[in-house]
Amino acid sequence: MQDDGTDHRERFAEEARSERPDLSLLCLLLGAVADPRLGDAGVDAAQMELDRLAGLLPYGAKSPRGWATALAALLGDRLGFHGSPGDYQKLESSLLHEVLRSRRGLPILLSVVWIEVARRAGAPVYGVALPGHFVVGFGDPQELGGPDARVLADPFGGGAPLTGPDAERLVVGATGTPIEPSALSPAQPLDVVLRVLNNIRAWAAVRPERSDVGLWAVELSLLLPSHPARLRYERAQLLVQRGDFLTGAAELDAYAEVVAAVEPSAAEALRGRARAARARLN
């Protein structure tokens, strides 16, 4: 599942820099880079499937709890969208088109399905990037009203509603530390996409034979307007690992320039690695 994918990468970069990035389109373009068989037709078909699912929701105004209940009844109960521990071992669990097909995935991708279906139906919905477990919220995140003003749901669990203590247990179980109030803020589309790419990079990192996946994941991350500078170092390492010594060395030198002002010794070490990479050509 590797591609050249130039057109889809360009579209990904374009959409990421647009005024209002489209979350589903970015996730599908990511999938088209991962699997060139998807193509533009597959991207369009997946968008139409999200439209179709939204059309299956009961019509009419709803409270946040009503929206959460309707989504759980449709996507969780009727259609079987959910996750299991085994899904963490599959690259497909991080690809939106595959999750729409299999109805299985990681918490963040299942949440993308919920968000995009609910948004198309007019629901006040947003993603919530809890540490270690992504969920969705319904209602106004700033609303200070009663218990139904804001409702959290866990798509990985088929849409089970989450109380405050439930969310606290999820975070403590994943990280060992209490939840911070800021963790309940709406996640922005580009932050969601970067987290998806981070999951893919982590999946590839423990599978050296899939360095191709790690490389396109880090390269897409670098196309986002805001990303950790250290990703350039990760890309350089992957290029060298895959035998592209000259390009990897050039990237190491470029990253050395970035860190030179604050960490001269680290920059010199990077330049040494660049020289070592070039020497492997001899």
Side-chain angles (χ1 to χ4, degrees):
M1 295 171 70
Q2 168 62 3
D3 77 320
D4 172 65
T6 303
D7 290 345
H8 291 117
R9 291 174 192 239
E10 289 175 356
R11 285 184 66 193
F12 180 92
E14 223 172 81
E15 186 63 33
R17 286 167 171 74
S18 66
E19 188 176 345
R20 299 182 64 182
D22 184 311
L23 175 59
S24 61
L25 179 56
L26 284 167
C27 287
L28 290 168
L29 291 171
L30 181 162
V33 172
D35 184 357
R37 296 169 298 181
L38 183 63
D40 291 339
V43 170
D44 292 343
Q47 293 278 37
M48 288 189 285
E49 175 64 3
L50 291 168
D51 293 341
R52 185 187 75 83
L53 294 175
L56 296 177
L57 285 167
Y59 179 76
K62 301 176 184 64
S63 67
R65 187 166 296 281
W67 279 114
T69 300
L71 266 292
L74 173 65
L75 296 180
D77 296 340
R78 179 176 162 189
L79 299 179
F81 281 91
H82 70 285
S84 70
D87 295 317
Y88 284 88
Q89 306 305 315
K90 302 172 184 175
L91 176 60
E92 291 80 7
S93 298
S94 290
L95 305 177
L96 180 54
H97 66 287
E98 291 285 0
V99 172
L100 285 169
R101 179 190 61 78
S102 67
R103 301 180 181 178
R104 302 289 294 272
L106 297 189
I108 191 167
L109 266 296
L110 289 164
S111 293
V112 169
V113 173
W114 274 56
I115 291 165
E116 290 299 313
V117 171
R119 180 182 65 79
R120 285 163 166 76
V125 65
Y126 54 95
V128 180
L130 295 178
H133 198 91
F134 205 98
V135 299
V136 296
F138 293 90
D140 183 348
Q142 305 303 321
E143 178 61 53
L144 300 177
D148 287 342
R150 292 176 295 168
V151 176
L152 297 181
D154 179 17
F156 191 74
L162 293 177
T163 64
D166 290 334
E168 182 82 26
R169 280 192 291 273
L170 271 178
V171 173
V172 171
T175 68
T177 59
I179 191 171
E180 296 288 339
S182 61
L184 296 172
S185 300
Q188 299 305 307
L190 295 184
D191 295 329
V192 176
V193 174
L194 181 58
R195 184 157 163 168
V196 171
L197 287 165
N198 287 345
N199 287 339
I200 293 171
R201 289 168 44 233
W203 180 90
V206 296
R207 295 169 174 83
E209 73 281 4
R210 296 314 310 267
S211 61
D212 59 321
V213 172
L215 184 59
W216 65 249
V218 77
E219 289 180 340
L220 288 184
S221 302
L222 287 165
L223 293 176
L224 297 174
S226 178
H227 55 261
R230 187 173 171 81
L231 288 178
R232 294 187 67 176
Y233 176 59
E234 185 175 330
R235 178 174 184 267
Q237 287 183 303
L238 285 165
L239 287 166
V240 171
Q241 179 184 335
R242 291 177 58 77
D244 191 348
F245 302 122
L246 284 179
T247 310
E251 191 73 0
L252 284 166
D253 281 332
Y255 184 61
E257 292 304 312
V258 172
V259 302
V262 289
E263 295 185 69
S265 60
E268 189 51 42
L270 287 165
R271 293 187 186 104
R273 291 189 182 121
R275 288 192 294 273
R278 290 189 182 94
R280 294 177 68 176
L281 288 168
N282 298 332

